[in-house]
Amino acid sequence: MHAGVVDERAFGLHAGAAGALDAAQWAQEPPMRIGHGFDIHRIAPHGDTKVGGPFTIGGVVFADFELGIVAHSDGDVIYHSVVDSIFGALTLPDIGQFFPDTDPRWKGAASDVFMQEAYRQMDQRGYRVGNIDVTLIAQAPRMILRDHPLATAERPFDHKRAMIDNLAALLQCPTNRINVKARTHEEVDAVGEKRAISCHVVTVFERKS
């Protein structure tokens, strides 16, 4: 079995799962599929023993950020949410069943691995990205910086652009199919108090011609 791949029979995802409906009714994949993904992780100072590697969001490393992500893997909330949205659109089990946090193989793993498996599942079912809409919810770190070395007077530096590039590369689609938005949580609850970071994703697939 491919690393991280779930045996669909173990979750009732087999030909008889539709009950009395004629199998021919379900033989054709729909032209479009939609999935939603969500992830949240606690964040803590780097001295916390549960913090793993560098603070990573959407494949972008915030090396100078004073907090780290508490997670079994690298805790990339954007990648995890995208993966879950893809699995959801394909009516597959969630990311935690594909890559359980009890499996030492995924300890500290880069979430690129999870993205690659999600792409493989999508591709083998005959789909490609229609569009992906990401909403990152984080009080910090800031996504748009006017004081960044690469910022100009006319154009501040935007970390979200690199996140879009990373997602498009991993999912083998044009960047105009990916959108990444970011907002704070208005200093409310764990996210607003910089004790957590979260993300929502909506994914639309289209059948490959």
Side-chain angles (χ1 to χ4, degrees):
M1 184 179 294
H2 191 279
V5 176
V6 170
D7 182 353
E8 296 181 359
R9 292 169 298 180
F11 296 92
L13 302 175
H14 51 79
L21 292 173
D22 190 292
Q25 293 178 268
W26 301 102
Q28 182 73 31
E29 290 271 20
M32 176 187 298
R33 284 181 175 269
I34 300 173
H36 172 262
F38 171 76
D39 194 32
I40 185 168
H41 281 290
R42 186 167 70 86
I43 57 179
H46 286 288
D48 190 312
T49 57
K50 294 183 179 179
V51 170
F55 198 96
T56 305
I57 311 173
V60 174
V61 177
F62 293 79
D64 297 329
F65 189 52
E66 69 271 17
L67 301 174
I69 298 175
V70 176
H72 185 67
S73 65
D74 65 3
D76 190 321
V77 291
I78 287 184
Y79 281 7
H80 292 187
S81 299
V82 170
V83 169
D84 236 10
S85 72
I86 291 172
F87 289 164
L90 296 172
T91 62
L92 292 172
D94 61 56
I95 188 173
Q97 291 171 279
F98 269 82
F99 305 101
D101 61 11
T102 54
D103 190 330
R105 288 181 299 169
W106 315 127
K107 178 67 175 175
S111 294
D112 299 47
V113 176
F114 310 152
M115 289 284 292
Q116 289 161 5
E117 176 60 23
Y119 172 79
R120 193 185 74 83
Q121 294 283 347
M122 174 182 67
D123 183 61
Q124 74 176 8
R125 291 276 290 273
Y127 287 98
R128 65 185 183 187
V129 171
N131 72 287
I132 291 180
D133 188 29
V134 176
T135 303
L136 174 69
I137 309 170
Q139 201 67 31
R142 290 184 299 153
M143 294 296 111
I144 298 178
L145 303 172
R146 297 190 179 277
D147 56 354
H148 192 279
L150 298 179
T152 66
E154 297 78 22
R155 190 179 190 188
F157 182 82
D158 190 348
H159 285 293
K160 299 193 301 297
R161 295 192 193 102
M163 296 174 185
I164 290 170
D165 289 342
N166 291 340
L167 289 166
L170 285 165
L171 297 174
Q172 301 185 33
C173 68
T175 55
N176 64 9
R177 300 295 183 98
I178 309 286
N179 187 40
V180 175
K181 311 186 303 294
R183 55 157 299 157
T184 70
H185 213 242
E186 302 294 337
E187 301 183 354
V188 175
D189 296 336
V191 174
E193 294 169 359
K194 300 182 187 178
R195 294 186 288 112
I197 184 171
S198 65
C199 183
H200 287 271
V201 171
V202 176
T203 293
V204 177
F205 294 160
E206 60 188 24
R207 290 287 290 170
K208 292 186 287 187
S209 56

